[in-house]
Amino acid sequence: MLLRDERSGQLTPTGARVLRDLLNGEEPERVTEKLVIAYRVDRRTAADDVNAVLEKLHAARLVDAE
């Protein structure tokens, strides 16, 4: 997962960006696309990371499940 530093457990700048974008109401697909463009990662990795953050936000009831 490119969103969390494995040693510290803290969000990376990328993770913070994903979290901010999702909490600001951006669609997961758009956030995924932004990661692919900005960091040149494959779409599957980016989508998996965005979905992992989104699942945690849903579990914490910080966003509505659709």
Side-chain angles (χ1 to χ4, degrees):
M1 183 183 230
L2 64 108
L3 302 178
R4 184 174 56 88
D5 181 287
E6 291 297 321
R7 288 175 288 181
S8 71
Q10 299 294 316
L11 277 178
T12 64
T14 306
R17 176 181 180 169
V18 169
L19 180 61
R20 182 191 67 234
D21 288 350
L22 290 172
L23 289 176
N24 283 336
E26 287 201 43
E27 294 295 322
E29 295 80 14
R30 175 67 183 132
V31 178
T32 296
E33 183 65 23
K34 288 167 72 173
L35 288 180
V36 169
I37 292 167
Y39 300 103
R40 296 181 181 172
V41 297
D42 66 272
R43 187 168 306 285
R44 171 55 69 191
T45 298
D48 288 348
D49 287 348
V50 170
N51 287 329
V53 172
L54 198 52
E55 287 175 14
K56 289 185 185 295
L57 292 174
H58 286 159
R61 297 182 180 198
L62 295 172
V63 296
D64 292 328
E66 296 182 24

